[in-house]
Amino acid sequence: MESVYGIKYSKPEVVLIQETGIGVAEAAARTCYDSFENSENEAIQYIEKNMPDNSVCQKINAIEESNLLDDLAWTYFHHSILEHANLSFLVRGTSRGVLQEHARHRMQAISVRSTRYTMSSVINAFVASQSANDRDFFINKVLSFDMLVTCDEEYNKIEIGAMYDKLLYQSKIVEDFNEIAVAKSSLGALEEFRGNPRMLFDALESGKKKRNVGDAFKHIISDNVKVDMVVTFNLRSLKNYFTLRDSGAAYFQIRWLAQEMMKQTPSKYLDLIIKKR
């Protein structure tokens, strides 16, 4: 947690879940220069005149150092060869505000937790709260979801209260609000548990989820909502990402994300993209 401009924020969690190694990048570079015999790695030397079997491929993928890649990265600045190395990160708890900036880095694969499909619990909490006109039920229930990167409870109550007010406004002007909000098979629970928000919420949660519920309601959430994603960068793109985002000029939340990703990146990759001081 860190306080910025008077607001407390949680920081994202990051795990490296897949890496391809740097061996393929060296093999690609050696192919360009026809210089396999100059490699310090026997597996690279071997493929000069032989097609590799599975055991040789494993040895290539296990390579930890490459003098050629180091020269290309820091003497000749020939970074295109780094595109043969890829890393995938699981990110938990960054924000929608970060996502807008993160997505500008186009040379990546990115899969993000979708608000179209994952808002049902928030909407269920609102529908349940309306059974007894209980605004506090909605605020306290959504507060328990821990869905915001902001950490101050009183501030988050203001944020969640704004979500409630938007939904209340919408519910008053949309005649079939409940039909839009919950699955058809759960509509009977609204009458069965009328006046009991807790039991109605539990019933809605245990029923079928409304498909694409976020289409009608994602307007209620702000940039403070947490985002989970899996991102895959090639090493050249990752170099650009770290250069731009681990910077004092970067938005502080994306800087936190870049720093956590960097912590999870093994040194064999960092040595090729981050200049040693």
Side-chain angles (χ1 to χ4, degrees):
M1 188 185 336
E2 187 168 331
S3 180
V4 181
Y5 303 122
I7 306 297
K8 294 178 182 177
Y9 296 87
S10 60
K11 291 188 175 182
E13 296 179 292
V14 177
V15 171
L16 177 68
I17 57 176
Q18 183 264 347
E19 54 174 307
T20 60
I22 62 173
V24 172
E26 182 180 348
R30 295 290 180 192
T31 298
C32 293
Y33 297 111
D34 197 15
S35 61
F36 296 94
E37 75 278 4
N38 295 331
S39 177
E40 71 275 30
N41 295 299
E42 291 184 1
I44 299 295
Q45 295 174 14
Y46 176 82
I47 64 174
E48 179 179 15
K49 297 179 180 179
N50 305 278
M51 291 299 287
D53 59 16
N54 186 60
S55 65
V56 174
C57 289
Q58 289 179 357
K59 291 177 181 177
I60 291 173
N61 290 328
I63 287 173
E64 293 291 323
E65 295 182 355
S66 169
N67 293 333
L68 176 60
L69 292 181
D70 189 72
D71 284 344
L72 290 174
W74 299 117
T75 302
Y76 301 104
F77 303 101
H78 186 5
H79 296 139
S80 64
I81 212 71
L82 301 179
E83 294 177 11
H84 290 282
N86 293 275
L87 299 94
S88 297
F89 301 88
L90 171 63
V91 178
R92 292 270 169 84
T94 190
S95 72
R96 283 173 58 84
V98 166
L99 180 62
Q100 295 175 44
E101 297 201 6
H102 183 93
R104 294 173 190 162
H105 293 264
R106 293 170 180 83
M107 294 303 292
Q108 63 170 312
I110 178 171
S111 299
V112 183
R113 187 174 188 268
S114 171
T115 49
R116 293 188 69 206
Y117 294 95
T118 61
M119 285 187 64
S120 58
S121 292
V122 174
I123 306 307
N124 287 343
F126 177 77
V127 172
S129 73
Q130 293 308 285
S131 70
N133 295 318
D134 192 341
R135 189 174 192 268
D136 288 341
F137 173 85
F138 176 83
I139 291 175
N140 291 324
K141 178 59 69 175
V142 176
L143 193 65
S144 72
F145 297 161
D146 188 27
M147 62 181 291
L148 302 173
V149 295
T150 45
C151 299
D152 184 275
E153 183 173 306
E154 292 306 309
Y155 179 90
N156 286 349
K157 285 182 177 180
I158 295 171
E159 176 109 21
I160 296 168
M163 294 165 61
Y164 178 91
D165 292 341
K166 293 175 187 178
L167 288 169
L168 185 62
Y169 172 85
Q170 188 176 12
S171 70
K172 291 178 178 179
I173 61 176
V174 177
E175 292 184 3
D176 56 347
F177 182 88
N178 287 337
E179 286 78 4
I180 296 171
V182 300
K184 184 177 181 180
S185 58
S186 295
L187 289 173
L190 274 61
E191 186 61 36
E192 181 179 356
F193 299 108
R194 182 176 298 278
N196 192 327
R198 182 185 61 79
M199 292 188 68
L200 177 53
F201 175 78
D202 290 344
L204 294 174
E205 285 289 281
S206 63
K208 184 179 179 180
K209 293 186 183 298
K210 179 73 172 182
R211 179 175 171 81
N212 297 354
V213 69
D215 286 0
F217 303 117
K218 65 190 303 180
H219 66 87
I220 70 170
I221 60 177
S222 76
D223 284 352
N224 288 327
V225 169
K226 288 181 177 178
V227 167
D228 299 340
M229 58 185 178
V230 172
V231 296
T232 299
F233 282 89
N234 70 58
L235 195 53
R236 188 185 194 183
S237 293
L238 193 62
K239 173 182 173 63
N240 173 260
Y241 187 85
F242 287 162
T243 299
L244 294 179
R245 301 311 182 180
D246 184 28
S247 159
Y251 176 48
F252 65 91
Q253 287 191 44
I254 200 169
R255 185 168 65 249
W256 292 344
L257 176 56
Q259 289 169 348
E260 291 303 313
M261 290 170 62
M262 195 177 297
K263 290 176 185 177
Q264 294 297 317
T265 302
S267 60
K268 63 183 177 183
Y269 302 104
L270 290 178
D271 289 346
L272 297 173
I273 61 175
I274 303 295
K275 190 68 174 177
K276 296 177 181 177
R277 293 179 173 86

